[in-house]
Amino acid sequence: MPNQEIFLKNICYTPLVFERFNKKLKLDLSESEIKQLVNQIISADNTTFQKSGKNYYLRHEKIELVINSFNYRLITANRL
């Protein structure tokens, strides 16, 4: 399992994921605010990392990030 540094170094985004992130979490954040929030979640001590199939699931408090395990692209975020 990659460590936090690898996720922080390799995380990437598509234009569509920013819209999806805001929609799924019912937020209205800018792209830079989303990137900052994602980095905070990855860096948090109490974030759990789980790999299932081709994705990583990072869970922190009430947010789950889904990240592709091959290219580290953020796919979506879910409320837990």
Side-chain angles (χ1 to χ4, degrees):
M1 174 81 54
N3 61 25
Q4 293 169 321
E5 289 180 28
I6 292 173
F7 278 96
L8 290 170
K9 180 181 174 191
N10 294 306
I11 189 83
C12 60
Y13 307 85
T14 63
L16 181 62
V17 79
F18 296 112
E19 294 173 31
R20 188 180 308 128
F21 189 96
N22 277 326
K23 182 178 179 180
K24 297 276 287 252
L25 298 180
K26 296 179 181 154
L27 299 171
D28 188 23
L29 302 175
S30 68
E31 290 183 11
S32 62
E33 290 171 322
I34 290 172
K35 288 179 180 181
Q36 184 178 13
L37 179 57
V38 168
N39 288 343
Q40 287 174 351
I41 291 170
I42 293 171
S43 300
D45 290 335
N46 60 344
T47 297
T48 60
F49 296 76
Q50 177 184 352
K51 184 173 186 212
S52 179
K54 65 176 186 167
N55 296 325
Y56 289 112
Y57 296 86
L58 284 60
R59 292 179 181 95
H60 174 75
E61 296 178 1
K62 296 182 180 182
I63 297 176
E64 174 185 64
L65 302 178
V66 182
I67 299 174
N68 183 292
S69 66
F70 298 111
N71 57 16
Y72 293 93
R73 183 168 290 145
L74 180 64
I75 298 169
T76 193
N78 300 309
R79 283 210 179 269
L80 299 176

